Amino acid sequence: MNTIIIKVDAEKLRADELDQAAEYLRSGRLVAFPTETVYGLGADALDSKAAHKIYEAKGRPSDNPLIVHIADVKDMEKLAVDIPEEAYRLANVFWPGPLTMILKKNEVVPYSTTGGLDTVGIRLPANKIARDLIAQAGVFVAAPSANISGKPSPTQAEHVINDMKDKIDMIIDGGRATLGLESTIVDLTGPTPMILRPGFITLEMLEHVIPFIQYDPAILMKPEMDLVPKAPGMKYRHYAPEGCLTIYEGDTKAVIKAINREAQSKQEAGESVGIIATEETKPYYPYGTVKTLGSRWDEASIAAGLYEILRAFDDMHTAYIYSESFADNRLGQAIMNRLLKAAGYKVVNID
Ligand code: AMP
Ligand code: MG
């Protein structure tokens, strides 16, 4: 398949620029597009054949549901039933934006989109290209991250091209995804609202709107805890680089020493080594390729750069990657959730 790649600028978007992409979505084809979280791989969510193509292109397990993207808050009522009042409150505050709500699906949503579940994940993205595309297509757009299943999510068109060229119909290059981590997922189908996946919208932010929200206990799950996450996607190995990634946690000086010891010994054995550091610690790592996520105190920059760095180490075929650990509150919760999964929960505690 010949993949058409177009470049658009969200600031200067002309009405006709998305015509072909919108037509492709209407006719059951696959179009990758930027959102504020990561790049999405879109298809008509109510067309089960089109949804099926997404699973094929990504190599995604068929029980891993797709999030349905809408362009208007009212469209929530066309996809879901028994919508609780909390959903309207959350939509009011956080839409358009990086929040996905799980609601009971109605019969128009095919099981091939929801991975066989009676619930559906819905999001109204903030990115202008994404919203205009969905509105112009006039269909609801199922769009998981536009990466090969299991690899780090794509935050740039280049990442999508690497994974999806010749497998999908079109890629819209709209620049870097600004947030860089997938949406926060909130399940509103049970007695207590639950965060199934942490993201840019934090527990603290959600609590201001719906005070009794909780984390799904499986979120910071370690494999030995044997908890089954309610968001099916969270159970698969995810975001993983090719190399062996290990997280070091503990006192900063001790972490630097321990990483340097490992890095030196691997490098002397002829292995390639990568280090994920911060602006503050970068000068203290003499071995391997050192990449920084920005200041330790700038969580937004850490979130935005994480997948990019993992992919950069993939491009270099780095065999061993060592990362510092980050505080796991607020946005740090989402960062650590992705980093732990990427590392397959390999953590060395120095204390
Ligand atoms: P992705 O778009 O690649 O970030 O994946 C979407 C993720 O959303 C899935 O992996 C699931 O974990 C979650 N999800 C989507 N729909 C539902 C649903 N109906 N119930 C629970 N989790 C969902
Ligand atoms: Mg994904």
Side-chain angles (χ1 to χ4, degrees):
M1 183 188 300
N2 178 32
T3 305
I4 297 172
I5 300 169
I6 63 165
K7 216 177 162 104
V8 300
D9 182 344
E11 310 276 297
K12 302 181 212 139
L13 196 59
R14 287 195 325 270
D16 62 324
E17 276 181 295
L18 299 174
D19 280 355
Q20 188 180 15
E23 169 52 31
Y24 271 14
L25 287 175
R26 272 195 300 277
S27 60
R29 295 192 231 198
L30 300 187
V31 177
F33 59 94
T35 82
E36 69 276 22
T37 58
V38 300
Y39 270 74
L41 177 54
D44 181 348
L46 304 190
D47 173 347
S48 58
K49 263 212 208 126
H52 181 76
K53 286 188 201 165
I54 291 181
Y55 288 93
E56 240 174 296
K58 280 179 61 81
R60 183 178 176 104
S62 63
D63 67 344
N64 189 355
L66 309 174
I67 292 170
V68 180
H69 294 69
I70 59 177
D72 188 320
V73 178
K74 282 197 234 81
D75 288 340
M76 174 161 79
E77 293 165 359
K78 296 181 185 154
L79 297 165
V81 291
D82 301 337
I83 302 175
E85 182 258 333
E86 283 95 336
Y88 291 96
R89 266 195 273 158
L90 289 174
N92 236 335
V93 178
F94 297 112
W95 277 0
L99 176 73
T100 296
M101 292 195 263
I102 308 294
L103 299 168
K104 277 187 204 147
K105 81 170 193 75
N106 72 16
E107 71 288 344
V108 301
V109 185
Y111 284 110
S112 51
T113 293
T114 66
L117 298 173
D118 287 311
T119 55
V120 58
I122 305 177
R123 178 163 105 84
L124 201 170
N127 179 290
K128 176 154 172 53
I129 299 166
R131 278 179 75 185
D132 284 11
L133 175 65
I134 300 163
Q136 222 170 303
V139 296
F140 305 125
V141 179
S145 49
N147 54 305
I148 300 285
S149 231
K151 294 226 300 178
S153 299
T155 55
Q156 295 176 31
E158 198 55 42
H159 302 159
V160 183
I161 293 169
N162 286 343
D163 281 17
M164 292 294 161
K165 196 169 174 326
D166 301 328
K167 289 189 193 154
I168 65 175
D169 300 281
M170 190 168 195
I171 297 170
I172 302 176
D173 178 351
R176 195 170 185 243
T178 46
L179 302 182
L181 286 186
E182 301 85 347
S183 57
T184 304
I185 301 182
V186 174
D187 183 359
L188 295 171
T189 61
T192 306
M194 289 279 197
I195 298 179
L196 304 189
R197 177 171 75 184
F200 196 82
I201 297 184
T202 62
L203 174 73
E204 292 78 5
M205 291 158 78
L206 292 160
E207 273 175 341
H208 285 294
V209 186
I210 48 170
F212 295 101
I213 186 159
Q214 289 178 7
Y215 279 123
D216 176 7
I219 278 185
L220 280 180
M221 168 189 69
K222 307 247 154 79
E224 68 273 14
M225 283 165 69
D226 216 24
L227 293 170
V228 179
K230 291 213 191 64
M234 299 304 270
K235 72 176 182 258
Y236 295 106
R237 180 141 194 253
H238 245 109
Y239 322 119
E242 281 169 24
C244 172
L245 168 63
T246 310
I247 303 168
Y248 281 69
E249 65 179 21
D251 167 71
T252 306
K253 276 191 227 158
V255 164
I256 295 172
K257 260 193 181 163
I259 290 181
N260 279 334
R261 207 178 313 125
E262 272 305 304
Q264 179 180 14
S265 96
K266 285 289 183 309
Q267 194 164 300
E268 282 170 3
E271 301 282 5
S272 52
V273 171
I275 290 167
I276 302 179
T278 52
E279 281 307 310
E280 292 80 10
T281 56
K282 187 173 185 222
Y284 304 107
Y285 292 110
Y287 306 101
T289 303
V290 186
K291 291 189 181 287
T292 155
L293 286 165
S295 169
R296 168 164 295 275
W297 311 108
D298 182 358
E299 287 174 333
S301 135
I302 295 171
L306 182 61
Y307 292 140
E308 209 170 291
I309 282 193
L310 294 176
R311 279 188 176 254
F313 282 130
D314 273 0
D315 291 342
M316 298 166 63
H317 303 293
T318 308
Y320 291 92
I321 306 166
Y322 304 102
S323 177
E324 296 176 8
S325 155
F326 301 92
D328 65 355
N329 53 16
R330 299 190 311 276
L331 184 50
Q333 184 91 35
I335 295 166
M336 283 312 289
N337 171 269
R338 307 308 195 276
L339 194 58
L340 281 164
K341 280 176 174 295
Y345 296 93
K346 278 190 301 300
V347 180
V348 175
N349 190 308
I350 305 298
D351 297 332

